[in-house]
Amino acid sequence: MDPINFKKTIKLTQESLQFTKQDREEVFKKIHERNQLKATGTVGGMNKKHLFPAMATLILVSLFLLVFIPSLTGDYRDNQMLSLSNADEKEEDQVTSILVMVANEDMRTDINLLFTVNKRAKKVNVILLPPSLKVPILNAEKETITEDKLTHVFAFKGSAVAVNNTVEKALNMPIDYYFMWEREEVEDFFNSMEDIQINVKENIDMKAARGNTYTYYKGMENVSGEEMARILSIDGEHQLPPYFMNKLFSHMLTYVSTSDFKSFRQQGESNVSPEEMKRVFTEMDSLDINTIPLEGFLHPIRTDGVFYVELDETFKAQLSKQLFEFK
């Protein structure tokens, strides 16, 4: 120790050990109070027999505040999100549902992904909902406002909760968690991804809504991050084969689990924190991905000259069941 600091320490110690007149008065005062306590059996006017019930009540109230107040005031549902991590300790059919949305600069959600996860079964089901899907539009209070395209819900109400409520209504199923990102930051994220090699089983020449085409030839195809973002925006009645999408989703989840996730902390609107969302995506990366195809169950229609796709009503009743089955 430095000599100067050592001398200061010795001086302070000596000063703290001095027994002053004030100290003596304090000691005698405490002795007097203790003698009074023995004689009267009271503490500060409270009888001893009332002291312990009061202390017990105080302890119980403190425990209540510690346990329940964080959950009442927190911004996120982090405790509930732990259900995915602890699924092995719960029921065998424990399933977590997650809606991921991407909104563009026009406040249209052109990417809508719905995941259902069963960690015990080690499987993830996912569907890609087309932007032009005709749905009853709900607000944040779950009131039906009108009927229109799924992509327009966010523009109508400016709320990710409204989109979540609309998808719940359209598919007749509960959704536990939702997360919405801006298109610009998602494109930056995809552009930073490495290309992926997909073994295309047969030639694909698919025409989507608004004249977009998706062409892939049999054999190994190189898919860039930019192309991945375009694929997730596919609109209309056609979709890419499940094996193709499974490979795509698996690659995306692997990249998310190894990224720093910084950009997603900026603009995400969710009922869970970005950190929790990343942890869940990381867990999903170790599970088998199963894309449920909607091809063949999406019917193109025109109402007042506007293009929509409708989900087959019979299949819709089966879809919610398929999402919660893990074979």
Side-chain angles (χ1 to χ4, degrees), residues 49 122 131 159 205 240:
K49 68 180 180 180
K122 297 183 178 180
S159 165
D205 188 12
L240 292 173

Side-chain angles (χ1 to χ4, degrees), residues 311-327:
L311 189 59
D312 184 88
E313 287 297 327
T314 303
F315 177 71
K316 188 189 297 185
Q318 301 171 358
L319 180 59
S320 58
K321 184 178 179 181
Q322 285 188 41
L323 282 164
F324 286 84
E325 287 181 344
F326 299 87
K327 297 178 180 179

Side-chain angles (χ1 to χ4, degrees), residues 114-131:
L114 180 61
F115 297 89
T116 52
V117 187
N118 187 323
K119 192 180 177 186
R120 181 182 287 274
K122 297 183 178 180
K123 293 182 182 296
V124 177
N125 289 329
V126 57
I127 59 173
L128 179 60
L129 296 169

Side-chain angles (χ1 to χ4, degrees), residues 38 55 222 226 260 272 302:
K38 289 180 180 179
M55 289 296 292
N222 191 65
E226 182 180 359
D260 59 15
V272 290
R302 285 194 176 272

Side-chain angles (χ1 to χ4, degrees), residues 215-265:
T215 304
Y216 306 97
Y217 297 101
K218 184 177 179 179
M220 298 303 294
E221 278 275 11
N222 191 65
V223 179
S224 66
E226 182 180 359
E227 180 69 2
M228 291 179 210
R230 200 172 76 91
I231 289 171
L232 293 181
S233 302
I234 288 178
D235 198 7
E237 68 271 28
H238 300 298
Q239 294 192 333
L240 292 173
Y243 76 86
F244 192 107
M245 298 304 296
N246 291 346
K247 187 74 174 177
L248 200 71
F249 287 129
S250 180
H251 181 69
M252 287 164 47
L253 288 170
T254 298
Y255 190 77
V256 168
S257 67
T258 56
S259 71
D260 59 15
F261 220 58
K262 284 182 180 178
S263 64
F264 293 102
R265 294 195 180 102

